Amino acid sequence: IYALLFRSKKELDEYLTLQEEIKKRDHRKIGKDLDLFVFSDLVGKGLPLFTEKGSIIRRTLERFIVDEEISRGYKHVYTPDLANLALYKTSGHYPYYKDTMYPVMKVDEEELMLRPMSCPHHFELYASKPRNYKELPYRIAELVKQYRYEKSGELTGLMRLRSFCLADSHIICQPDQARSEINGALDLIEYVSGILGLGDCRYRLSLGDREDSTKYYKDDEIWDFAEGVLRKVLTERKANFFEAGKEAAFYGPKIDIQMRNFAGKEDTVFTVQYDFLGAKRFKLKYIDSDQKEKEPIVIHRSSIGAIERTMAFLIEHYAGAFPVWLSPVQVMLIPVADRHVEYARKVEAALKNKSIRVD
């Protein structure tokens, strides 16, 4: 026997109404009804297949963010989905995160694995030739396919997957450029959120756990400086933020951008991370104006988050009734008699010639 108990009939009715709305807006149901994506046990759990219509939404989001980032000075690149295990040992992700990585594949003399993140690839691109201070900040960006092991019970539609595409970037800069670059990243994130119509957000300043050596690089002075930079940025922006201890990765503090869905549940959608360790481990350098070799810092950030998760947010936010620029079908032509078909075809051709999606 199940029961619901509230202090008033009004609260009970509001709760029941919300539960019905949650069912109606579930992106898994709408995605199936609108023929946007499917899952196949034969392909594998947590591995979505996007239909033609779902691919239109995804491609539109991808083109939007790539063009926007390039206009803001990002260098868009392509790097492989596979990497040598030694890359993640150098970065420090292995063995800290090996429980969420896929098993190593032995190929010839190499140990390869599907990448769970792209930062080491981008570091190697930067390190491929000498750099000087005139090239900084150096903003590398990519739509990155990543692979992480999620337990089957934790997989949730497009929200939690084993394979996903992240609009990822790594900004390599001088320490005194960090505030400006973090502000620029937050400006981009707020612009993107506004275009997508996702509403207001609040920020979580995630601080290091200084008592846990497995999650904390032991250098209090560096942590104090990095946390101070992020705190100052949020304070100067008069941002709505709160602080959360013991949440940061081992290589630095971060700002998590939190958004509520229509049901009031809050999720982390985007992240801006201060990294003082990546450059050190990959021996990243630049020649400064005084002709001396110096070590940069790295800002990790995602502008539109994981494309799949953002799609899930949008499906539920709009209940499937997308704004015209995202809609898989922008115009529907309906000839009401056979004699109208020929004219409808002409209209269809004219609209398609203007890159309007029409059925």
mmCIF file of all heavy atoms in Angstrom, residues 27-28 37-39 44-50 58 100 102 145-151 154-165 306-312:
data_model
loop_
_atom_site.group_PDB
_atom_site.id
_atom_site.type_symbol
_atom_site.label_atom_id
_atom_site.label_comp_id
_atom_site.label_asym_id
_atom_site.label_seq_id
_atom_site.Cartn_x
_atom_site.Cartn_y
_atom_site.Cartn_z
ATOM 1 N N HIS A 27 12.133 13.251 -21.281
ATOM 2 C CA HIS A 27 12.772 13.312 -22.606
ATOM 3 C C HIS A 27 12.840 11.939 -23.265
ATOM 4 O O HIS A 27 12.894 11.841 -24.495
ATOM 5 C CB HIS A 27 14.169 13.932 -22.491
ATOM 6 C CG HIS A 27 15.216 13.020 -21.929
ATOM 7 N ND1 HIS A 27 15.412 12.839 -20.581
ATOM 8 C CD2 HIS A 27 16.116 12.224 -22.546
ATOM 9 C CE1 HIS A 27 16.398 11.983 -20.391
ATOM 10 N NE2 HIS A 27 16.846 11.589 -21.558
ATOM 11 N N ARG A 28 12.818 10.869 -22.469
ATOM 12 C CA ARG A 28 12.850 9.533 -23.057
ATOM 13 C C ARG A 28 11.550 9.235 -23.792
ATOM 14 O O ARG A 28 11.562 8.667 -24.893
ATOM 15 C CB ARG A 28 13.097 8.489 -21.955
ATOM 16 C CG ARG A 28 14.485 8.586 -21.332
ATOM 17 C CD ARG A 28 14.609 7.798 -20.056
ATOM 18 N NE ARG A 28 13.780 8.368 -18.994
ATOM 19 C CZ ARG A 28 13.786 7.947 -17.739
ATOM 20 N NH1 ARG A 28 14.579 6.933 -17.392
ATOM 21 N NH2 ARG A 28 13.031 8.520 -16.830
ATOM 22 N N PHE A 37 15.632 9.683 -31.058
ATOM 23 C CA PHE A 37 16.728 8.771 -30.746
ATOM 24 C C PHE A 37 16.165 7.456 -30.240
ATOM 25 O O PHE A 37 15.004 7.388 -29.784
ATOM 26 C CB PHE A 37 17.677 9.378 -29.700
ATOM 27 C CG PHE A 37 17.017 9.713 -28.384
ATOM 28 C CD1 PHE A 37 16.929 8.771 -27.363
ATOM 29 C CD2 PHE A 37 16.475 10.971 -28.167
ATOM 30 C CE1 PHE A 37 16.309 9.083 -26.153
ATOM 31 C CE2 PHE A 37 15.866 11.296 -26.970
ATOM 32 C CZ PHE A 37 15.784 10.348 -25.963
ATOM 33 N N VAL A 38 16.977 6.416 -30.316
ATOM 34 C CA VAL A 38 16.574 5.091 -29.821
ATOM 35 C C VAL A 38 17.774 4.453 -29.117
ATOM 36 O O VAL A 38 18.917 4.887 -29.292
ATOM 37 C CB VAL A 38 16.099 4.158 -30.965
ATOM 38 C CG1 VAL A 38 14.850 4.712 -31.627
ATOM 39 C CG2 VAL A 38 17.201 3.941 -31.995
ATOM 40 N N PHE A 39 17.486 3.423 -28.338
ATOM 41 C CA PHE A 39 18.522 2.600 -27.730
ATOM 42 C C PHE A 39 18.319 1.164 -28.197
ATOM 43 O O PHE A 39 17.186 0.727 -28.437
ATOM 44 C CB PHE A 39 18.457 2.665 -26.206
ATOM 45 C CG PHE A 39 18.928 3.974 -25.635
ATOM 46 C CD1 PHE A 39 18.032 5.007 -25.395
ATOM 47 C CD2 PHE A 39 20.268 4.168 -25.348
ATOM 48 C CE1 PHE A 39 18.475 6.216 -24.874
ATOM 49 C CE2 PHE A 39 20.716 5.371 -24.825
ATOM 50 C CZ PHE A 39 19.820 6.397 -24.589
ATOM 51 N N GLY A 44 24.225 -1.739 -27.264
ATOM 52 C CA GLY A 44 24.778 -1.645 -25.918
ATOM 53 C C GLY A 44 24.069 -0.603 -25.084
ATOM 54 O O GLY A 44 23.520 0.374 -25.605
ATOM 55 N N LYS A 45 24.083 -0.809 -23.769
ATOM 56 C CA LYS A 45 23.425 0.118 -22.846
ATOM 57 C C LYS A 45 24.173 1.449 -22.803
ATOM 58 O O LYS A 45 25.398 1.489 -22.829
ATOM 59 C CB LYS A 45 23.365 -0.494 -21.446
ATOM 60 C CG LYS A 45 22.471 -1.718 -21.345
ATOM 61 C CD LYS A 45 22.484 -2.306 -19.944
ATOM 62 C CE LYS A 45 21.570 -3.523 -19.854
ATOM 63 N NZ LYS A 45 21.604 -4.136 -18.507
ATOM 64 N N GLY A 46 23.384 2.514 -22.712
ATOM 65 C CA GLY A 46 23.983 3.843 -22.584
ATOM 66 C C GLY A 46 24.635 4.356 -23.849
ATOM 67 O O GLY A 46 25.443 5.283 -23.810
ATOM 68 N N LEU A 47 24.270 3.761 -24.995
ATOM 69 C CA LEU A 47 24.845 4.152 -26.290
ATOM 70 C C LEU A 47 23.711 4.527 -27.241
ATOM 71 O O LEU A 47 23.157 3.677 -27.925
ATOM 72 C CB LEU A 47 25.675 2.997 -26.872
ATOM 73 C CG LEU A 47 26.799 2.460 -25.973
ATOM 74 C CD1 LEU A 47 27.412 1.211 -26.569
ATOM 75 C CD2 LEU A 47 27.867 3.528 -25.750
ATOM 76 N N PRO A 48 23.329 5.798 -27.299
ATOM 77 C CA PRO A 48 22.161 6.207 -28.085
ATOM 78 C C PRO A 48 22.419 6.201 -29.592
ATOM 79 O O PRO A 48 23.547 6.433 -30.049
ATOM 80 C CB PRO A 48 21.888 7.629 -27.589
ATOM 81 C CG PRO A 48 23.231 8.132 -27.167
ATOM 82 C CD PRO A 48 23.953 6.934 -26.611
ATOM 83 N N LEU A 49 21.361 5.930 -30.337
ATOM 84 C CA LEU A 49 21.378 6.036 -31.797
ATOM 85 C C LEU A 49 20.454 7.195 -32.171
ATOM 86 O O LEU A 49 19.268 7.180 -31.821
ATOM 87 C CB LEU A 49 20.872 4.739 -32.442
ATOM 88 C CG LEU A 49 21.603 3.448 -32.042
ATOM 89 C CD1 LEU A 49 20.842 2.233 -32.559
ATOM 90 C CD2 LEU A 49 23.024 3.449 -32.573
ATOM 91 N N PHE A 50 20.974 8.188 -32.846
ATOM 92 C CA PHE A 50 20.165 9.348 -33.207
ATOM 93 C C PHE A 50 19.555 9.158 -34.592
ATOM 94 O O PHE A 50 20.257 8.822 -35.548
ATOM 95 C CB PHE A 50 21.014 10.630 -33.170
ATOM 96 C CG PHE A 50 21.342 11.072 -31.782
ATOM 97 C CD1 PHE A 50 22.498 10.620 -31.153
ATOM 98 C CD2 PHE A 50 20.489 11.910 -31.081
ATOM 99 C CE1 PHE A 50 22.796 11.003 -29.859
ATOM 100 C CE2 PHE A 50 20.779 12.300 -29.782
ATOM 101 C CZ PHE A 50 21.937 11.847 -29.172
ATOM 102 N N ARG A 58 20.865 17.837 -33.034
ATOM 103 C CA ARG A 58 22.253 17.719 -32.568
ATOM 104 C C ARG A 58 23.202 18.520 -33.464
ATOM 105 O O ARG A 58 24.049 19.271 -32.986
ATOM 106 C CB ARG A 58 22.662 16.244 -32.545
ATOM 107 C CG ARG A 58 24.097 16.038 -32.150
ATOM 108 C CD ARG A 58 24.420 14.570 -31.997
ATOM 109 N NE ARG A 58 25.823 14.439 -31.615
ATOM 110 C CZ ARG A 58 26.294 13.464 -30.865
ATOM 111 N NH1 ARG A 58 25.478 12.548 -30.394
ATOM 112 N NH2 ARG A 58 27.582 13.398 -30.575
ATOM 113 N N THR A 100 36.227 4.449 -13.617
ATOM 114 C CA THR A 100 35.253 4.981 -14.577
ATOM 115 C C THR A 100 35.816 4.971 -16.001
ATOM 116 O O THR A 100 35.217 5.534 -16.907
ATOM 117 C CB THR A 100 34.832 6.412 -14.205
ATOM 118 O OG1 THR A 100 35.991 7.243 -14.129
ATOM 119 C CG2 THR A 100 34.094 6.430 -12.880
ATOM 120 N N TYR A 102 37.361 2.648 -19.360
ATOM 121 C CA TYR A 102 37.172 1.322 -19.944
ATOM 122 C C TYR A 102 38.485 0.549 -19.919
ATOM 123 O O TYR A 102 39.570 1.141 -19.855
ATOM 124 C CB TYR A 102 36.607 1.442 -21.355
ATOM 125 C CG TYR A 102 35.123 1.692 -21.309
ATOM 126 C CD1 TYR A 102 34.609 2.972 -21.431
ATOM 127 C CD2 TYR A 102 34.247 0.650 -21.052
ATOM 128 C CE1 TYR A 102 33.255 3.211 -21.327
ATOM 129 C CE2 TYR A 102 32.886 0.871 -20.947
ATOM 130 C CZ TYR A 102 32.392 2.149 -21.089
ATOM 131 O OH TYR A 102 31.060 2.373 -20.973
ATOM 132 N N LYS A 145 34.297 13.224 -28.504
ATOM 133 C CA LYS A 145 33.627 11.987 -28.078
ATOM 134 C C LYS A 145 34.407 11.421 -26.896
ATOM 135 O O LYS A 145 35.615 11.233 -26.969
ATOM 136 C CB LYS A 145 33.590 10.966 -29.222
ATOM 137 C CG LYS A 145 32.618 11.305 -30.340
ATOM 138 C CD LYS A 145 31.176 11.396 -29.875
ATOM 139 C CE LYS A 145 30.619 10.105 -29.340
ATOM 140 N NZ LYS A 145 29.999 9.222 -30.313
ATOM 141 N N GLN A 146 33.689 11.163 -25.783
ATOM 142 C CA GLN A 146 34.319 10.616 -24.584
ATOM 143 C C GLN A 146 33.561 9.379 -24.129
ATOM 144 O O GLN A 146 32.371 9.222 -24.415
ATOM 145 C CB GLN A 146 34.349 11.676 -23.468
ATOM 146 C CG GLN A 146 35.173 12.893 -23.842
ATOM 147 C CD GLN A 146 35.311 13.897 -22.716
ATOM 148 O OE1 GLN A 146 34.804 13.695 -21.616
ATOM 149 N NE2 GLN A 146 35.994 14.989 -22.983
ATOM 150 N N TYR A 147 34.273 8.524 -23.398
ATOM 151 C CA TYR A 147 33.720 7.232 -22.993
ATOM 152 C C TYR A 147 33.999 7.002 -21.513
ATOM 153 O O TYR A 147 35.160 7.011 -21.090
ATOM 154 C CB TYR A 147 34.346 6.109 -23.825
ATOM 155 C CG TYR A 147 34.215 6.346 -25.309
ATOM 156 C CD1 TYR A 147 35.157 7.119 -25.980
ATOM 157 C CD2 TYR A 147 33.145 5.841 -26.028
ATOM 158 C CE1 TYR A 147 35.041 7.368 -27.331
ATOM 159 C CE2 TYR A 147 33.012 6.079 -27.388
ATOM 160 C CZ TYR A 147 33.967 6.846 -28.033
ATOM 161 O OH TYR A 147 33.839 7.104 -29.382
ATOM 162 N N ARG A 148 32.946 6.820 -20.742
ATOM 163 C CA ARG A 148 33.116 6.576 -19.306
ATOM 164 C C ARG A 148 32.203 5.440 -18.869
ATOM 165 O O ARG A 148 31.050 5.353 -19.306
ATOM 166 C CB ARG A 148 32.811 7.842 -18.496
ATOM 167 C CG ARG A 148 33.796 8.977 -18.800
ATOM 168 C CD ARG A 148 33.545 10.208 -17.979
ATOM 169 N NE ARG A 148 34.363 11.325 -18.450
ATOM 170 C CZ ARG A 148 34.287 12.559 -18.004
ATOM 171 N NH1 ARG A 148 33.415 12.845 -17.037
ATOM 172 N NH2 ARG A 148 35.055 13.506 -18.489
ATOM 173 N N TYR A 149 32.731 4.608 -17.995
ATOM 174 C CA TYR A 149 31.931 3.487 -17.505
ATOM 175 C C TYR A 149 30.957 3.981 -16.442
ATOM 176 O O TYR A 149 31.356 4.482 -15.396
ATOM 177 C CB TYR A 149 32.824 2.392 -16.915
ATOM 178 C CG TYR A 149 32.013 1.346 -16.191
ATOM 179 C CD1 TYR A 149 31.100 0.543 -16.883
ATOM 180 C CD2 TYR A 149 32.108 1.191 -14.820
ATOM 181 C CE1 TYR A 149 30.330 -0.390 -16.218
ATOM 182 C CE2 TYR A 149 31.345 0.258 -14.142
ATOM 183 C CZ TYR A 149 30.446 -0.527 -14.849
ATOM 184 O OH TYR A 149 29.674 -1.446 -14.194
ATOM 185 N N GLU A 150 29.686 3.866 -16.752
ATOM 186 C CA GLU A 150 28.613 4.163 -15.791
ATOM 187 C C GLU A 150 27.895 2.859 -15.488
ATOM 188 O O GLU A 150 27.606 2.078 -16.406
ATOM 189 C CB GLU A 150 27.621 5.181 -16.376
ATOM 190 C CG GLU A 150 28.236 6.521 -16.773
ATOM 191 C CD GLU A 150 28.470 7.438 -15.582
ATOM 192 O OE1 GLU A 150 28.154 7.032 -14.453
ATOM 193 O OE2 GLU A 150 28.977 8.549 -15.802
ATOM 194 N N LYS A 151 27.598 2.601 -14.228
ATOM 195 C CA LYS A 151 26.861 1.389 -13.874
ATOM 196 C C LYS A 151 25.492 1.409 -14.544
ATOM 197 O O LYS A 151 24.873 2.472 -14.679
ATOM 198 C CB LYS A 151 26.724 1.285 -12.358
ATOM 199 C CG LYS A 151 28.067 1.098 -11.659
ATOM 200 C CD LYS A 151 27.924 1.090 -10.151
ATOM 201 C CE LYS A 151 29.290 0.934 -9.490
ATOM 202 N NZ LYS A 151 29.214 1.012 -8.019
ATOM 203 N N GLU A 154 22.652 3.391 -13.231
ATOM 204 C CA GLU A 154 22.782 4.848 -13.207
ATOM 205 C C GLU A 154 22.509 5.480 -14.564
ATOM 206 O O GLU A 154 22.439 6.700 -14.677
ATOM 207 C CB GLU A 154 24.182 5.230 -12.723
ATOM 208 C CG GLU A 154 24.453 4.819 -11.276
ATOM 209 C CD GLU A 154 25.886 5.063 -10.856
ATOM 210 O OE1 GLU A 154 26.732 5.293 -11.754
ATOM 211 O OE2 GLU A 154 26.167 5.027 -9.651
ATOM 212 N N LEU A 155 22.392 4.656 -15.608
ATOM 213 C CA LEU A 155 22.135 5.179 -16.950
ATOM 214 C C LEU A 155 20.723 5.734 -17.028
ATOM 215 O O LEU A 155 19.762 5.093 -16.599
ATOM 216 C CB LEU A 155 22.320 4.070 -17.992
ATOM 217 C CG LEU A 155 23.726 3.463 -18.070
ATOM 218 C CD1 LEU A 155 23.735 2.251 -18.976
ATOM 219 C CD2 LEU A 155 24.726 4.501 -18.548
ATOM 220 N N THR A 156 20.581 6.956 -17.567
ATOM 221 C CA THR A 156 19.275 7.622 -17.617
ATOM 222 C C THR A 156 19.112 8.340 -18.947
ATOM 223 O O THR A 156 19.581 9.471 -19.114
ATOM 224 C CB THR A 156 19.136 8.666 -16.477
ATOM 225 O OG1 THR A 156 19.513 8.070 -15.247
ATOM 226 C CG2 THR A 156 17.711 9.179 -16.386
ATOM 227 N N GLY A 157 18.478 7.672 -19.913
ATOM 228 C CA GLY A 157 18.217 8.318 -21.195
ATOM 229 C C GLY A 157 19.458 8.979 -21.747
ATOM 230 O O GLY A 157 20.550 8.386 -21.779
ATOM 231 N N LEU A 158 19.318 10.249 -22.176
ATOM 232 C CA LEU A 158 20.464 11.010 -22.675
ATOM 233 C C LEU A 158 21.196 11.746 -21.559
ATOM 234 O O LEU A 158 22.238 12.362 -21.796
ATOM 235 C CB LEU A 158 19.996 12.046 -23.719
ATOM 236 C CG LEU A 158 19.348 11.512 -24.997
ATOM 237 C CD1 LEU A 158 18.998 12.667 -25.921
ATOM 238 C CD2 LEU A 158 20.252 10.511 -25.703
ATOM 239 N N MET A 159 20.657 11.703 -20.334
ATOM 240 C CA MET A 159 21.265 12.421 -19.215
ATOM 241 C C MET A 159 22.558 11.752 -18.744
ATOM 242 O O MET A 159 23.527 12.411 -18.388
ATOM 243 C CB MET A 159 20.289 12.505 -18.042
ATOM 244 C CG MET A 159 19.118 13.433 -18.265
ATOM 245 S SD MET A 159 19.635 15.147 -18.141
ATOM 246 C CE MET A 159 18.041 15.959 -18.048
ATOM 247 N N ARG A 160 22.563 10.430 -18.698
ATOM 248 C CA ARG A 160 23.723 9.685 -18.176
ATOM 249 C C ARG A 160 24.031 8.562 -19.155
ATOM 250 O O ARG A 160 23.234 7.631 -19.310
ATOM 251 C CB ARG A 160 23.353 9.129 -16.797
ATOM 252 C CG ARG A 160 24.539 8.756 -15.926
ATOM 253 C CD ARG A 160 25.128 9.979 -15.245
ATOM 254 N NE ARG A 160 26.201 9.609 -14.335
ATOM 255 C CZ ARG A 160 26.034 9.448 -13.025
ATOM 256 N NH1 ARG A 160 24.837 9.615 -12.498
ATOM 257 N NH2 ARG A 160 27.060 9.138 -12.266
ATOM 258 N N LEU A 161 25.168 8.663 -19.843
ATOM 259 C CA LEU A 161 25.505 7.747 -20.925
ATOM 260 C C LEU A 161 26.902 7.163 -20.732
ATOM 261 O O LEU A 161 27.671 7.626 -19.894
ATOM 262 C CB LEU A 161 25.460 8.497 -22.270
ATOM 263 C CG LEU A 161 24.114 9.067 -22.694
ATOM 264 C CD1 LEU A 161 24.304 10.045 -23.854
ATOM 265 C CD2 LEU A 161 23.167 7.958 -23.096
ATOM 266 N N ARG A 162 27.213 6.186 -21.549
ATOM 267 C CA ARG A 162 28.565 5.630 -21.551
ATOM 268 C C ARG A 162 29.415 6.210 -22.684
ATOM 269 O O ARG A 162 30.626 6.060 -22.689
ATOM 270 C CB ARG A 162 28.492 4.103 -21.666
ATOM 271 C CG ARG A 162 27.989 3.468 -20.376
ATOM 272 C CD ARG A 162 27.834 1.968 -20.484
ATOM 273 N NE ARG A 162 27.532 1.384 -19.173
ATOM 274 C CZ ARG A 162 27.126 0.142 -18.984
ATOM 275 N NH1 ARG A 162 26.962 -0.656 -20.031
ATOM 276 N NH2 ARG A 162 26.877 -0.306 -17.768
ATOM 277 N N SER A 163 28.763 6.837 -23.637
ATOM 278 C CA SER A 163 29.454 7.535 -24.712
ATOM 279 C C SER A 163 28.740 8.854 -24.938
ATOM 280 O O SER A 163 27.521 8.880 -25.092
ATOM 281 C CB SER A 163 29.433 6.698 -25.999
ATOM 282 O OG SER A 163 29.850 7.468 -27.098
ATOM 283 N N PHE A 164 29.482 9.963 -24.938
ATOM 284 C CA PHE A 164 28.848 11.269 -25.104
ATOM 285 C C PHE A 164 29.822 12.225 -25.784
ATOM 286 O O PHE A 164 31.026 11.961 -25.872
ATOM 287 C CB PHE A 164 28.391 11.832 -23.751
ATOM 288 C CG PHE A 164 29.491 11.983 -22.741
ATOM 289 C CD1 PHE A 164 30.195 13.174 -22.616
ATOM 290 C CD2 PHE A 164 29.838 10.923 -21.911
ATOM 291 C CE1 PHE A 164 31.214 13.311 -21.688
ATOM 292 C CE2 PHE A 164 30.865 11.044 -20.980
ATOM 293 C CZ PHE A 164 31.548 12.250 -20.868
ATOM 294 N N CYS A 165 29.280 13.322 -26.280
ATOM 295 C CA CYS A 165 30.084 14.316 -26.999
ATOM 296 C C CYS A 165 30.086 15.618 -26.196
ATOM 297 O O CYS A 165 29.039 16.213 -25.980
ATOM 298 C CB CYS A 165 29.507 14.542 -28.397
ATOM 299 S SG CYS A 165 30.419 15.765 -29.348
ATOM 300 N N ALA A 306 27.679 18.546 -22.406
ATOM 301 C CA ALA A 306 27.570 17.355 -23.253
ATOM 302 C C ALA A 306 26.356 17.553 -24.168
ATOM 303 O O ALA A 306 25.266 17.863 -23.692
ATOM 304 C CB ALA A 306 27.405 16.105 -22.402
ATOM 305 N N ILE A 307 26.565 17.395 -25.463
ATOM 306 C CA ILE A 307 25.494 17.652 -26.431
ATOM 307 C C ILE A 307 24.249 16.826 -26.098
ATOM 308 O O ILE A 307 23.117 17.328 -26.132
ATOM 309 C CB ILE A 307 25.969 17.335 -27.863
ATOM 310 C CG1 ILE A 307 27.189 18.188 -28.245
ATOM 311 C CG2 ILE A 307 24.841 17.526 -28.860
ATOM 312 C CD1 ILE A 307 26.913 19.662 -28.369
ATOM 313 N N GLU A 308 24.453 15.563 -25.739
ATOM 314 C CA GLU A 308 23.309 14.690 -25.457
ATOM 315 C C GLU A 308 22.531 15.167 -24.233
ATOM 316 O O GLU A 308 21.297 15.201 -24.241
ATOM 317 C CB GLU A 308 23.792 13.244 -25.228
ATOM 318 C CG GLU A 308 24.415 12.585 -26.441
ATOM 319 C CD GLU A 308 25.907 12.887 -26.598
ATOM 320 O OE1 GLU A 308 26.427 13.767 -25.865
ATOM 321 O OE2 GLU A 308 26.536 12.237 -27.438
ATOM 322 N N ARG A 309 23.246 15.535 -23.172
ATOM 323 C CA ARG A 309 22.569 15.995 -21.952
ATOM 324 C C ARG A 309 21.843 17.315 -22.220
ATOM 325 O O ARG A 309 20.723 17.517 -21.741
ATOM 326 C CB ARG A 309 23.571 16.168 -20.818
ATOM 327 C CG ARG A 309 22.956 16.754 -19.569
ATOM 328 C CD ARG A 309 23.927 16.869 -18.426
ATOM 329 N NE ARG A 309 24.027 15.607 -17.702
ATOM 330 C CZ ARG A 309 24.502 15.494 -16.467
ATOM 331 N NH1 ARG A 309 24.927 16.563 -15.835
ATOM 332 N NH2 ARG A 309 24.558 14.335 -15.868
ATOM 333 N N THR A 310 22.466 18.202 -22.975
ATOM 334 C CA THR A 310 21.815 19.468 -23.323
ATOM 335 C C THR A 310 20.551 19.212 -24.136
ATOM 336 O O THR A 310 19.528 19.875 -23.935
ATOM 337 C CB THR A 310 22.792 20.375 -24.105
ATOM 338 O OG1 THR A 310 23.914 20.669 -23.259
ATOM 339 C CG2 THR A 310 22.132 21.677 -24.508
ATOM 340 N N MET A 311 20.597 18.238 -25.039
ATOM 341 C CA MET A 311 19.392 17.874 -25.788
ATOM 342 C C MET A 311 18.290 17.392 -24.855
ATOM 343 O O MET A 311 17.121 17.754 -25.010
ATOM 344 C CB MET A 311 19.712 16.795 -26.826
ATOM 345 C CG MET A 311 20.387 17.328 -28.078
ATOM 346 S SD MET A 311 20.663 16.041 -29.328
ATOM 347 C CE MET A 311 18.967 15.587 -29.756
ATOM 348 N N ALA A 312 18.657 16.595 -23.861
ATOM 349 C CA ALA A 312 17.660 16.102 -22.905
ATOM 350 C C ALA A 312 17.025 17.274 -22.153
ATOM 351 O O ALA A 312 15.798 17.318 -21.980
ATOM 352 C CB ALA A 312 18.315 15.131 -21.920
#
